[in-house]
């Protein structure tokens, strides 16, 4: 079965967060004030939002690399970081004829190998999807550098966006590793984090699409603006 587009998968996963917020509102109302018996919903939502963000980054990187493999005309058009990765792999290969494997489209097979690694190897995974790790991840996966610089919108700078993401990913870590009883989480925090990650996903998707379009002259099949226009997203 074909894997879902990253933006569609993100929105479907986000429905679970929406349901948690709805349950919280149904049981506790919308009035201000801390409701201790419902705080477990807030903590669960923080963990879930982080997981959704992590999965989205992995999915969009996989979509982008697949797009580059399929649509690049020749190796000369590949991003510099991907060229460096291929060169590093060839240099590490003990077979002195390994470089000839890149001829006649062999570079495409090499990238397909990277694509398989992206889908299955643990060292590609974003266990802690803070801004710095996301930056390194996209540089290694598809050759896109300084991705977090694109995380800016009205009244929010890229630096502010990074810090807010890192704060909430750290909160996820505190919930998961220090025991939930020692961490307080409000519904307002959940809503703020959820909205922030939706913004980050949108900006990340637009930047990735712009990047691969520059490499291949073709947009990814579905990118955020198109998906929204067609009414496929709730966000």
């Amino acid at each position: 079965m074909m894997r879902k587009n990253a933006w569609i998968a993100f929105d479907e996963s986000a429905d679970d967060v929406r349901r948690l917020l709805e349950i919280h509102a149904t049981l506790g109302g919308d009035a201000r004030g801390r409701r201790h018996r419902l705080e477990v919903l807030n903590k669960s939502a923080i963990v879930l939002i982080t997981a959704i963000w992590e999965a989205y980054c992995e999915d969009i990187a996989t979509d982008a690399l697949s797009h580059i493999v399929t649509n690049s005309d020749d190796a000369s058009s590949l991003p510099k970081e991907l060229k460096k990765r291929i060169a590093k792999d060839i240099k590490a290969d003990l077979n002195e004829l390994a470089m000839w494997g890149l001829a006649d489209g062999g570079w495409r097979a090499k990238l397909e190998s990277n694509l398989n690694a992206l889908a299955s190897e643990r060292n590609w995974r974003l266990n802690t999807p803070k801004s710095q790790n996301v930056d390194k991840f996209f540089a290694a996966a598809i050759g896109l550098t300084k991705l977090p610089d694109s995380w800016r919108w009205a009244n929010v700078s890229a630096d502010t966006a990074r810090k807010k993401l890192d704060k909430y990913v750290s909160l996820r870590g505190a919930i998961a590793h220090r025991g939930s009883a020692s961490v307080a989480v409000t519904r307002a925090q959940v809503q703020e984090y959820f909205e922030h990650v939706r913004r980050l996903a949108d900006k990340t998707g637009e930047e990735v699409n712009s990047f691969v379009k520059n490499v291949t002259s073709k947009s990814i099949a579905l990118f955020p603006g198109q998906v929204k226009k067609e009414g496929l997203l709730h966000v």
Side-chain angles (χ1 to χ4, degrees), residues 44-210:
S44 297
I46 294 293
V47 173
L48 181 58
I49 293 167
T50 305
I52 291 171
W53 166 240
E54 179 180 330
Y56 173 77
C57 289
E58 293 168 358
D59 286 348
I60 192 63
T62 300
D63 286 350
L65 185 56
S66 178
H67 185 86
I68 290 171
V69 169
T70 302
N71 295 288
S72 293
D73 291 333
D74 54 59
S76 65
S77 64
L78 295 178
K80 180 180 178 181
E81 293 300 317
L82 280 186
K83 290 179 182 178
K84 287 167 62 176
R85 181 175 180 84
I86 292 174
K88 182 179 179 181
D89 289 346
I90 292 297
K91 186 176 181 180
D93 196 320
L94 295 179
N95 180 1
E96 60 183 12
L97 300 179
M99 62 177 293
W100 292 102
L102 301 180
D104 300 323
W107 60 270
R108 202 180 300 274
K110 186 64 178 176
L111 282 184
E112 288 174 348
S113 176
N114 281 358
L115 181 60
N116 292 332
L118 184 63
S120 62
E121 292 182 11
R122 178 132 185 113
N123 65 329
W124 284 96
R125 295 299 182 179
L126 271 170
N127 294 315
T128 306
K130 291 185 176 181
S131 58
Q132 184 177 24
N133 291 340
V134 170
D135 189 10
K136 292 178 180 178
F137 174 75
F138 278 95
I142 63 173
L144 172 56
T145 59
K146 299 182 179 180
L147 171 67
D149 286 354
S150 68
W151 297 345
R152 54 184 182 273
W153 51 90
N155 301 318
V156 176
S157 67
D159 186 58
T160 297
R162 286 188 192 95
K163 289 177 179 177
K164 183 175 286 189
L165 171 65
D166 293 350
K167 177 185 72 173
Y168 279 114
V169 174
S170 292
L171 177 59
R172 185 285 305 264
I175 293 169
H177 301 127
R178 299 179 193 170
S180 60
S182 63
V183 182
V185 181
T186 67
R187 186 169 185 264
Q189 286 177 298
V190 172
Q191 292 172 316
E192 180 183 59
Y193 186 28
F194 188 35
E195 175 61 25
H196 191 60
V197 163
R198 291 194 297 179
R199 290 270 196 174
L200 293 180
D202 184 58
K203 292 298 180 180
T204 296
E206 294 285 6
E207 185 69 8
V208 169
N209 182 64
S210 178

Side-chain angles (χ1 to χ4, degrees), residues 1-5 12:
M1 186 173 74
M2 182 177 294
R3 190 176 59 79
K4 294 178 181 177
N5 171 272
E12 290 182 357

